[in-house]
Amino acid sequence: MLKIAVLVSGGGTNLQAIIDGITNQTIKNTQICVVISNNAGAYALERARQNEIDAVCVSPKDYGSRDAFNDALLAEVQKYNVDLIVLAGFLVKIPENLVKQYEGRIINIHPSLIPSFCGVGFYGLKVHEAALARGVKVTGATVHYVDDGMDTGAIILQKAVLVEEGDTPEILQRRVMEQAEWVILPQAIDMIANKTVTQANEKLITLK
Ligand code: GRF
């Protein structure tokens, strides 16, 4: 059984896709042990509670320094003894201590086809604004392992989504979620849980 922690900051539709995947068994042999948010008001925490999953807030506002927050976040994750940390719309830069401790065991969903529209400053709607401003005809989403850079870890899965005439950043964001994020994040977790992902080297993942 793969035990996971899901880290979130907002609405939690990706979290919901994982919960649904476990319920309908498209994700097998996986259990969500805890949902952690940096934001006490995140609706994602409510989704966790409704599904009887531990819901915890670890907010930087409650700590005197960034280091103290980083330590608290690591301590909270460690309590649950998880095999994998899933960043599902977690808007905090992952502290170095967490990356070190969980090397090769943290994945993230990013709403573009990496290496386009990723890295510092590319989060939320900004990603889709940049894609539309550049005039790309295809965008999508990426699930990747987290290393000490920003969106630089090995890519596990990607899915393309067409940009359509008249798209706004909001419309495009929704289509990318529906057609790509909610599909490939559950799929990647299932693949990790059932050992069909092998890391060949720092950047290359092979899929069975
Ligand atoms: C998603 O677009 C995700 O790719 C991005 O933040 C958004 C989170 O949405 N990193 P939700 O909280 O899962 O609804």
Side-chain angles (χ1 to χ4, degrees):
M1 184 68 80
L2 185 81
K3 292 166 69 182
I4 66 173
V6 184
L7 274 52
V8 294
S9 297
T13 60
N14 279 288
L15 167 66
Q16 191 66 54
I18 299 167
I19 293 172
D20 294 347
I22 291 172
T23 305
N24 66 30
Q25 281 294 290
T26 50
I27 305 176
K28 291 191 181 65
N29 305 317
T30 300
Q31 179 197 359
I32 305 176
C33 297
V34 63
V35 172
I36 302 174
S37 177
N38 60 309
N39 164 16
Y43 186 65
L45 288 175
E46 186 52 37
R47 292 183 196 266
R49 286 184 208 108
Q50 283 169 7
N51 287 278
E52 288 162 13
I53 299 165
D54 280 7
V56 181
C57 172
V58 183
S59 165
K61 290 184 198 145
D62 297 332
Y63 297 90
S65 68
R66 203 66 192 180
D67 281 350
F69 164 73
N70 291 346
D71 290 345
L73 185 62
L74 176 63
E76 197 56 48
V77 172
Q78 281 176 332
K79 269 189 209 167
Y80 287 87
N81 218 358
V82 295
D83 307 304
L84 182 75
I85 299 173
V86 178
L87 309 180
F90 189 56
L91 298 180
V92 172
K93 166 99 177 85
I94 292 302
E96 233 173 77
N97 58 352
L98 195 65
V99 177
K100 265 204 198 116
Q101 200 80 37
Y102 286 86
E103 210 190 332
R105 292 186 292 153
I106 310 178
I107 63 170
N108 180 47
I109 177 86
H110 182 78
S112 76
L113 294 174
I114 289 176
S116 291
F117 313 115
C118 65
V120 179
F122 287 101
Y123 60 90
L125 269 184
K126 289 181 194 294
V127 176
H128 306 290
E129 281 163 9
L132 290 175
R134 184 61 185 83
V136 295
K137 305 303 176 211
V138 177
T139 184
T142 303
V143 181
H144 63 93
Y145 279 110
V146 172
D147 61 12
D148 51 10
M150 195 74 159
D151 302 327
T152 50
I155 292 170
I156 304 168
L157 288 175
Q158 294 188 298
K159 189 164 189 291
V161 173
L162 293 181
V163 177
E164 291 177 15
E165 194 68 36
D167 271 354
T168 62
E170 290 80 4
I171 291 172
L172 185 57
Q173 179 183 49
R174 182 78 194 175
R175 188 178 313 115
V176 168
M177 283 178 149
E178 285 176 357
Q179 294 185 7
E181 295 182 44
W182 301 343
V183 178
I184 61 173
L185 185 56
Q187 199 182 340
I189 294 168
D190 180 64
M191 291 168 76
I192 292 168
N194 297 294
K195 303 203 180 352
T196 56
V197 174
T198 323
Q199 182 138 12
N201 66 38
E202 213 176 70
K203 288 281 179 232
L204 185 65
I205 295 292
T206 50
L207 309 174
K208 265 192 229 155

